[in-house]
Amino acid sequence: MTAMDLDPLWISLKTALTATAITFILGIFTARWMSQHEFKGKSLLDGIFILPLVLPPTVVGFLLLWLLGRNTWLGSIFFAIGRPVVFSWSATVIAAVVVAFPLMYQTARGAFEQIDTNIEDAARTLGASEQTVFWRITMPIAWPGIAAGTILAFARSLGEFGATLMLAGNIPGRTQTIPVAIYFLVESGKKQQAMIWVLVILLISFFSIAALSFWTKYQRRFSHRPAREVSADS
Amino acid sequence: MLILSIDIEKSLPEFKLKVAFQLDQEIMAVLGPSGCGKTMTLKCIAGLMVPDQGSIILDERVLFHSEQGVNLPARERKIAFLFQNYALFPHLTVCENIAFGIRQLPLAERDERVQKLLRKMRLHGLGHRYPADLSGGQQQRVALARALAPEPKVLLLDEPFSALDTQVKERLEAELLELQEDFQGHVLFVTHNLAEAYRLSSKMAVYDNGVLLQWGECRSIIERPVNKKVARMTGMDNIFSGIVSKIEGCRLEVQLDTGHLHLYMDYPGGLVVNQEISIAIRPEYIQVADSQEDNCLGAELLSCTEELSFFKCVFRLQDQVQVKVHLAKISEQVLVPGQSYHLRFPPEKLVVIGPHLQNFHVKKGHIKASACI
């Protein structure tokens, strides 16, 4: 294998890590905001956030292609500044963020909403500012859920194929991620090379799942058991 | 004056809270059925909920005032809140939980105070455990220690004993009373248990469905309920309506509505002949007399249940009105359902129910009363 051949790995990792970082911040922010506010049309907005999870990736890709293409004002801005998104490396990141976002958002929101509001209120009565409450109480308690969401988001952005192909295409050395590479290798009959990439993906996914189960155990340590009575108590 | 004064209103869909009361540096109980706005009151005081209108003033410091536009955030109020489910921080150890409210203090001072509270709350040796590893009673004490660490001016307790078994509960109650002795502040606790409220507090506020029915000294609420609702909620089970038939000096004669029965009682003042009134008596004050005595009514025993510390009897007067009587077990009488007995209503224990009577001086002294059945 020449050095050139490793490009899909670096592109995939770079894309997945960047996308995970963006999803992490965006997902937590949105989840926190949604769990703290009540308004009309909340469930509709919630549905829109979850939508990429249920739509076929090609549909997501098609919509993104339309949104970021020349025909919308958003897309034309990028064209005007000379950095079109379509068929660029950023397109791989955008596609990955959009498909991974629902996983991060949903798990983080679940984690936030599971927290007993009395615990946060207790911190407030003990002199904690909203920031302190969030960083010292909410985040640590929600952390196992957030970590699980992050790992899921990472795995999902690493495996993204449909939307990436539609929006970023298959440009070796620029937008060709491992899943895209596998598809085109198999199509051109290079089964053995495809197998190597398949093994790489299997390995990364295995580690992701191992990490996830580690966090699940970590979560159990903090699980808030119901108060039990002990007669000889002291 | 060190007074916590609350006068607030808050409307929710299908619920309205409107309460006003004050307390000195003492223990006050907020009594009422669940869903009557007790916890909401505490949350408004702590700053966790914003009332629509009114004011909350603590020792001359305005915590909330709708007209002045003052609403201090919870973190600036120095009010401790003990939640019903304790709400301990599950990811912090016992020590870290207690130290949370005093994290701005220098380390040495913080440690010293945490150690002191651990000793005081009998939690020594548990400092490095996580809340999930503690029993209910221990969690309760950690929550109390955590609440007291910043030396608050007010301690709010939301149903503090409801989830505990009797033994743990009794010990915690004793601890709360002990605590009150060196706690320089106001304690407000919510309960639906009358006995608990009476035992622990010096004042009481009785709620029903968001409305404050009555507040004041425990004894005055128990002995002088302002209306039938408070009477029923505080265990004054026997309420009769009637009219004032005669006022003689400090003796009042009441003719009961349902028949030609008359009862005599101490005249509290402020009444006129032929006025319609409700009179009431607690079940433990009615006696079973051996013979026709003063202020007695004949009654048939319907049922008699043996409770832990008394007999719970239901009698029927000749006009079908039922009377609940709690008899001390020390009495050697053997009561047989279906038999007739004489029930004696001590005149000094009969009260007239009504808000206009609350401020009248209750005249003491023996009044000769006679039965007239």
Side-chain angles (χ1 to χ4, degrees), chain A residues 135-157:
Chain A
W135 291 111
R136 303 271 309 253
I137 304 298
T138 314
M139 276 298 272
I141 297 176
W143 183 241
I146 286 168
T150 312
I151 289 160
L152 285 174
F154 176 75
R156 184 69 187 83
S157 38

Side-chain angles (χ1 to χ4, degrees), chain A residues 25-122:
Chain A
I25 295 164
L26 217 60
I28 287 176
F29 177 80
T30 319
R32 179 69 174 164
W33 196 85
M34 287 288 277
S35 65
Q36 280 189 326
H37 292 83
E38 285 304 324
F39 53 92
K40 231 179 166 183
K42 185 177 169 177
S43 43
L44 182 74
L45 193 62
D46 187 56
I48 292 171
F49 289 149
I50 303 294
L51 206 58
L53 195 66
V54 290
L55 287 178
T58 46
V59 173
V60 175
F62 184 88
L63 289 173
L64 285 173
L65 204 52
W66 168 77
L67 186 72
L68 297 168
R70 270 178 210 283
N71 299 328
T72 64
W73 62 268
L74 185 65
S76 50
I77 290 173
F78 290 108
F79 278 96
I81 59 168
R83 302 196 56 170
V85 173
V86 179
F87 299 123
S88 70
W89 175 71
S90 9
T92 63
V93 175
I94 291 173
V97 165
V98 170
V99 296
F101 175 79
L103 291 166
M104 185 70 215
Y105 162 73
Q106 240 189 346
T107 21
R109 190 171 158 192
F112 286 143
E113 286 181 355
Q114 255 183 9
I115 298 177
D116 176 6
T117 49
N118 283 349
I119 292 178
E120 291 167 314
D121 276 348

Side-chain angles (χ1 to χ4, degrees), chain B residues 228-242:
Chain B
K228 289 186 196 176
K229 235 178 206 167
V230 177
R232 273 187 217 106
M233 282 169 75
T234 54
M236 196 172 270
D237 288 330
N238 302 305
I239 304 172
F240 313 106
S241 33

Side-chain angles (χ1 to χ4, degrees), chain B residues 301-330:
Chain B
L301 179 64
L302 294 181
S303 67
C304 190
T305 327
E306 185 170 355
E307 296 279 330
L308 201 60
S309 49
F310 59 88
F311 289 106
K312 196 178 193 172
C313 302
V314 181
F315 288 88
R316 187 170 60 197
L317 300 180
Q318 17 163 263
D319 55 6
Q320 305 300 314
V321 174
Q322 290 196 355
V323 180
K324 285 186 191 155
V325 181
H326 292 174
L327 290 176
K329 283 195 168 172
I330 203 158

